[in-house]
Amino acid sequence: MPNLPALTATKKSDWKPPTKRKLIAIRDRLRKAYGKPEPRPHRAPIDELILTVLSQNTNDRNRDVAYGRLRQRFPRRDGSPLPDWDAVGNAPEDAVEEAIRPGGISRVKARRIQEILRSLGDDDLTHLETDPLDEARDYLCSLPGVGRKTAACVLLFSYGRPDVPVDTHVYRVGTRLGLFRPGASFDEAHDEMLRLTDPEDAYEIHVGLIRHGRRICTARNPRCRECPLLSLCPYGKARVR
């Protein structure tokens, strides 16, 4: 087996921006392998924003446990299953940290969550549904510690708006497939996904690449010989030859 870099077999000098046709071919093969996911916008943007902060540097299970503990520690008086975000924002930082401790790096996340909620004030973010997409994205990225991935998650999952979050799975799979320039920043990868992805495919592309990254194109020992994308993947073809 050749000695490959961790993510890509393509040299920077050899990389060429991919075409939309390539991404459509990837979409179609992922759809055949995993089915077509259907978006279900939940219209709860603040909850998505905080949930995405909780997801950083941990797995889905720990994230969900931390979120559930926030709901128990800061319940709404109206019986809603969502946390009382005003109470979270105004609570002592230690109380928020204790609630989210199962999610990891709880001190950093507690401070970040409270900074975001205090910056929002009375803004419930419902305007993100109709704001011009660039303005909605820029507004979210102006909040403390909110980057492109978090902003894209809020827009896509809350309102079905056509942004493609680039998390570690999407970045790894996309780099191996040659969708991103070797060594590209996450912001550059987000820009590339927006260039390549038709608006109606944003949710399917994001979910499909994550599913593939978890099941086949794993960080260690990817199962390249079983991969439905092998013929489209410079990394995989170099690895199995």
Side-chain angles (χ1 to χ4, degrees), residues 123-145:
D123 185 355
D124 61 7
L125 295 181
T126 55
H127 57 89
L128 297 177
E129 184 173 13
T130 55
D131 285 347
L133 185 58
D134 287 346
E135 290 182 17
R137 185 185 301 116
D138 290 345
Y139 177 73
L140 286 167
C141 288
S142 73
L143 296 172

Side-chain angles (χ1 to χ4, degrees), residues 52-63:
T52 306
V53 173
L54 289 173
S55 73
Q56 295 167 1
N57 301 106
T58 193
N59 56 42
D60 290 351
R61 180 185 177 280
N62 290 340
R63 174 204 65 192

Side-chain angles (χ1 to χ4, degrees), residues 148-149 166-168 171-172 184-191:
R148 289 286 297 277
K149 186 201 84 168
V166 178
D167 67 356
T168 54
Y171 185 84
R172 179 178 68 253
S185 68
F186 272 75
D187 280 356
E188 182 180 333
H190 275 94
D191 289 338

Side-chain angles (χ1 to χ4, degrees), residues 180-241:
F180 312 137
R181 179 181 60 84
S185 68
F186 272 75
D187 280 356
E188 182 180 333
H190 275 94
D191 289 338
E192 193 64 17
M193 290 305 296
L194 288 176
R195 180 185 73 82
L196 291 170
T197 307
D198 291 330
E200 64 272 16
D201 288 336
Y203 182 82
E204 181 176 4
I205 291 294
H206 172 72
V207 173
L209 290 174
I210 286 180
R211 287 175 176 173
H212 192 62
R214 288 174 172 169
R215 301 180 190 184
I216 298 292
C217 195
T218 52
R220 296 183 180 181
N221 301 316
R223 293 152 52 194
C224 296
R225 294 187 185 278
E226 305 171 37
C227 180
L229 304 178
L230 179 58
S231 65
L232 300 171
C233 181
Y235 173 90
K237 287 189 286 188
R239 192 169 182 268
V240 303
R241 68 187 175 198

